[in-house]
Amino acid sequence: MVEDDLAETGPIDYLVVEFPGNRMTGEGLPLLIDLVDRGVIRILDFAFVRKDTDGTVSGMEIADFDGDGRLDLAVFEGAGSGLLDAGDLSEAAAVVEPGNSAGVLIYENTWAAPFATALRRGGARVVASGRVPLPELLRSLDELDAAEGGPAGAADGSGSGPSDAR
């Protein structure tokens, strides 16, 4: 049964990362590979879409994105699980500005698998999940600063709160 096979799976997330002007430097790839190599995440599916200036959407092959003659994403070739279909890629492209491209990544948070498995064994279930974008977090901290008349997290007004790291 598929459910039994997935009993020890960590939470599954997705990302849609937009590349303005279709410029992909590859700078983040070694970090992504490191996360996989260390067992922090497991890539379940990985695809690219391009949205032309006229709004036309097309899939992109995993290839030489930076033009140096090497396949930049060859390590991910075959990472496709079939989870991403044409409808998913169209939905991802809907949030991409014309003239840009995007990477769409589905991954398992393998670091959390033991915790998630224990919760499931105990009868718990996730009923909500989400992400807080960094700009929203910073805006909220700034609002707290303004409301309290000082840096968020500094109960004594000394300015030694978490928001000082910004």
Side-chain angles (χ1 to χ4, degrees), residues 24-47:
M24 297 178 221
T25 66
E27 185 176 344
L29 290 177
L31 299 170
L32 181 61
I33 292 167
D34 180 59
L35 290 172
V36 172
D37 287 347
R38 290 188 296 127
V40 176
I41 65 168
R42 178 171 59 121
I43 294 175
L44 301 176
D45 219 332
F46 196 23

Side-chain angles (χ1 to χ4, degrees), residues 42-132:
R42 178 171 59 121
I43 294 175
L44 301 176
D45 219 332
F46 196 23
F48 285 88
V49 295
R50 172 179 290 148
K51 189 177 212 177
D52 294 331
T53 54
D54 67 0
T56 303
V57 174
S58 58
M60 297 171 61
E61 292 297 318
I62 293 178
D64 177 18
F65 287 109
D66 60 11
D68 67 358
R70 293 190 326 241
L71 292 178
D72 302 307
L73 302 175
V75 69
F76 298 116
E77 210 162 13
S81 63
L83 290 173
L84 288 171
D85 62 18
D88 296 321
L89 296 179
S90 291
E91 190 174 327
V95 298
V96 174
E97 293 293 321
N100 296 342
S101 56
V104 183
L105 179 67
I106 297 179
Y107 61 97
E108 174 191 1
N109 290 285
T110 50
W111 63 269
F115 175 63
T117 300
L119 290 174
R120 285 190 292 266
R121 274 195 311 264
R125 61 188 178 95
V126 175
V127 294
S129 179
R131 297 267 189 249
V132 178

